[in-house]
């Protein structure tokens, strides 16, 4: 393998959409593929260590791979591969319930670190693989809600993969929520039918010991039978189970569509991003906002205000992870879209301050106070006085002058 300083492509061990111990049984029915981990800049010892670790992983020597990767320089690629090595070792028995809890926790920690180092996951050619592995690790640890969210993140990253919702369907059924399990199954089979892979998907479900538990649900069996008979998969409209009609479906596909019939990928990705932002899951939020904005660049779905807010929250998420330069870029785009946005100006002031650009920080802070409605200005003034990210400019005379300029402005009644 050639090693170059920029754009190095490394071949990671295969990650099928089944637990590692089931990979051999799945080999005949699902083609085994190798995934590529793209590293933006790597050279010399670091790249050599990653290559050696992946050779160990191909030979199923996960202990050796973990040892090498734990000692490697911490970056996106090494953290991802470390998490994957722990995942492979911990899931030898093939399902979350039997997984090694210590390895599952180590995998979750490494994957979370990967997201913090690079929320865009630019080092991973197929980001859904990280989210899927993270979800499995969360399941093993009993963190079911976090697992559900990570399965949603995986499907957001790969919306044309009909297998991904099946894992969420399995988890929902194990959690005792048959309605949401059925809703995820419907989502998976609708996508499979669109791709003309319904038969392959159903056969994989039935043959996989992990996923075949979906057949324990009468509603799931009915849905599968309908598809096998050439019908569209639909939830039951039975009045005896009203929860299976609308609420379950909306919950299951909220991050992909507002309705199963006519999904809007931009709005779905944006809704998913907002959910993660409000939950303070800033790494996944960045990924989702970037996805929404990339989609909107060609679809032009978003009007100016939601577009500006999306960039504002993207920038804020970057700031929360200490990535000031990326935050500045996103926040400036928000202000180009909607110049009189006090929230974006205030966040820009924070990002500039952390980046050591003090005059720019003070200018943005002044713009935040100027643009804020008078009834909200006092809130911004109070925040500025206590904001840790403004500590670098708080002792400057210009900072005090700006606060004094606006502190006596009274809201109009």
């Amino acid at each position: 393998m050639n090693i170059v300083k920029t754009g190095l492509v490394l071949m990671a061990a295969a990650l099928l959409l089944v637990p590692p111990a089931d990979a051999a049984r799945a080999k005949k029915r699902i083609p085994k593929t190798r995934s590529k981990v793209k590293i933006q800049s790597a050279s010399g010892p670091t790249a050599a260590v990653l290559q050696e670790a992946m050779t160990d992983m191909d030979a199923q020597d996960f202990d050796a791979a973990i040892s090498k990767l734990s000692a490697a320089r911490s970056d996106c690629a090494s953290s991802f591969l470390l998490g994957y090595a722990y995942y492979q070792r911990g899931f030898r028995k093939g399902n979350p319930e039997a997984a090694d809890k210590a390895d599952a926790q180590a995998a979750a920690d490494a994957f979370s670190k990967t997201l913090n180092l690079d929320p865009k996951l630019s080092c991973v050619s197929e980001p859904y693989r990280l989210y899927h592995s993270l979800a499995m690790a969360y399941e093993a640890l009993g963190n079911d809600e976090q697992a559900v969210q990570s399965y949603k993140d995986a499907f957001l990253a790969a919306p044309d993969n009909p297998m991904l919702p099946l894992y969420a369907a399995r988890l929902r059924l194990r959690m005792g929520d048959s309605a949401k399990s059925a809703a995820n199954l419907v989502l998976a089979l609708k996508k499979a039918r669109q791709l003309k892979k319904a038969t392959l998907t159903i056969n994989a479900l039935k043959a996989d010991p992990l996923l075949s538990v979906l057949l324990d649900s009468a509603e799931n069996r009915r849905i599968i039978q309908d598809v096998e008979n050439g019908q569209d998969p639909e939830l039951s409209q039975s009045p005896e189970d009203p929860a299976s009609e609308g609420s379950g479906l909306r919950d299951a596909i909220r991050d992909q569509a507002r309705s199963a019939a006519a999904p809007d990928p931009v709005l779905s990705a944006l809704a998913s991003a907002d959910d993660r932002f409000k939950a303070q899951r800033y790494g996944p939020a960045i990924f989702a906002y970037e996805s929404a904005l990339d989609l909107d660049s060609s679809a032009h779905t978003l009007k100016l205000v939601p577009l500006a807010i999306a960039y504002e929250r993207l920038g804020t998420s970057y700031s929360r992870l200490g990535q000031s330069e990326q935050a500045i870029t996103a926040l400036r785009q928000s202000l180009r879209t909607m110049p009189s946005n006090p929230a974006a100006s205030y966040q820009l002031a924070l990002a500039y301050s952390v980046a050591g650009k003090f005059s720019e920080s003070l200018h943005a802070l002044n713009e935040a106070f100027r643009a804020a409605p008078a009834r909200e200005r006092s809130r911004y003034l109070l925040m500025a006085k206590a904001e840790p990210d403004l500590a670098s400019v708080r002792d400057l005379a210009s900072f005090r002058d700006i606060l004094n300029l606006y502190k006596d402005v009274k809201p109009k009644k």
Side-chain angles (χ1 to χ4, degrees), residues 11 20 25-26 44 91 149 167 208 210 232 235 271 301 306 339 400:
M11 300 298 289
R25 287 194 294 271
F91 280 74
Q149 192 64 64
Y167 290 86
D208 192 319
L210 187 67
D232 285 332
L235 290 173
T301 299
R400 294 191 294 272

Side-chain angles (χ1 to χ4, degrees), residues 4-124:
V4 295
K5 186 173 182 180
T6 302
L8 178 65
V9 176
L10 299 176
M11 300 298 289
L15 174 58
L16 295 175
L17 284 180
V18 288
D22 286 333
R25 287 194 294 271
K27 187 174 182 181
K28 292 183 179 180
R29 62 182 183 272
I30 301 178
K32 186 173 181 179
T33 60
R34 296 171 63 87
S35 62
K36 294 181 180 180
V37 178
K38 184 177 182 180
I39 300 178
Q40 294 296 338
S41 60
S43 61
T46 301
V49 167
L50 296 180
Q51 279 187 290
E52 291 174 8
M54 286 186 288
T55 299
D56 292 334
M57 292 165 71
D58 284 342
Q60 305 293 297
D61 190 351
F62 301 116
D63 293 344
I66 288 169
S67 178
K68 290 182 176 69
L69 292 166
S70 296
R73 179 174 63 87
S74 181
D75 59 13
C76 176
S78 62
S79 294
F80 168 69
L81 289 176
L82 179 60
Y84 182 53
Y86 276 120
Y87 169 76
Q88 287 284 325
R89 188 176 76 175
F91 280 74
R92 289 180 187 271
K93 294 183 179 179
N95 62 71
E97 291 77 16
D100 181 275
K101 300 297 188 289
D103 280 345
Q105 184 64 64
D109 291 343
F111 289 139
S112 297
K113 184 176 182 180
T114 305
L115 286 164
N116 285 333
L117 288 169
D118 184 2
K120 293 183 180 180
L121 295 180
S122 56
C123 72
V124 184

Side-chain angles (χ1 to χ4, degrees), residues 190-360:
K190 280 182 177 289
K191 178 57 66 176
R193 277 178 64 90
Q194 290 174 8
L195 300 173
K196 302 186 184 305
K197 294 182 179 180
T199 299
L200 177 63
T201 301
I202 290 173
N203 288 343
L205 182 161
K206 290 180 176 180
D208 192 319
L210 187 67
L211 296 176
S212 61
V213 297
L214 290 171
L215 299 173
D216 293 345
S217 163
E219 173 73 347
N220 288 347
R221 292 196 300 271
R222 181 196 62 77
I223 292 168
I224 291 170
Q225 185 65 52
D226 285 347
V227 175
E228 290 178 327
N229 291 336
Q231 302 174 28
D232 285 332
E234 298 292 347
L235 290 173
S236 172
Q237 303 297 311
S238 169
E240 287 80 9
D241 186 13
S244 69
E245 178 178 354
S247 59
L249 179 60
R250 285 193 297 272
D251 180 85
I253 68 172
R254 180 176 49 168
D255 294 337
Q256 287 302 314
R258 290 305 179 187
S259 72
D264 185 317
V266 176
L267 296 179
S268 299
L270 186 60
S272 181
D274 288 340
D275 285 347
R276 288 147 181 74
F277 181 83
K278 292 171 185 176
Q280 298 182 9
R281 300 179 69 243
Y282 297 116
I286 288 171
F287 182 86
Y289 280 122
E290 293 280 5
S291 297
L293 292 167
D294 285 345
L295 290 168
D296 189 66
S297 65
S298 56
H300 304 294
T301 299
L302 299 179
K303 297 183 184 298
L304 289 181
V305 171
L307 183 62
I309 292 173
Y311 276 113
E312 173 206 320
R313 291 182 172 181
L314 173 62
T316 301
S317 297
Y318 273 124
S319 281
R320 295 291 187 271
L321 297 180
Q323 300 185 43
S324 300
E325 292 301 328
Q326 294 93 327
I328 289 167
T329 299
L331 292 164
R332 290 179 65 181
Q333 182 59 46
S334 176
L335 289 167
R336 281 193 289 270
T337 306
M338 188 170 70
S340 297
N341 182 355
S345 292
Y346 182 78
Q347 292 297 328
L348 185 59
L350 306 188
Y352 274 136
S353 177
V354 171
K357 300 178 180 181
F358 303 140
S359 61
E360 291 91 339

Side-chain angles (χ1 to χ4, degrees), residues 357-401:
K357 300 178 180 181
F358 303 140
S359 61
E360 291 91 339
S361 175
L362 292 170
H363 176 75
L365 190 64
N366 183 72
E367 287 300 302
F369 294 149
R370 183 188 63 78
R375 64 183 178 277
E376 296 182 10
R377 193 171 292 133
S378 59
R379 178 171 63 87
Y380 281 105
L381 289 166
L382 288 172
M383 289 193 301
K385 291 176 182 178
E387 177 61 59
D389 287 348
L390 292 176
S392 299
V393 300
R394 194 171 290 120
D395 291 335
L396 299 178
S398 298
F399 178 86
R400 294 191 294 272
D401 290 343

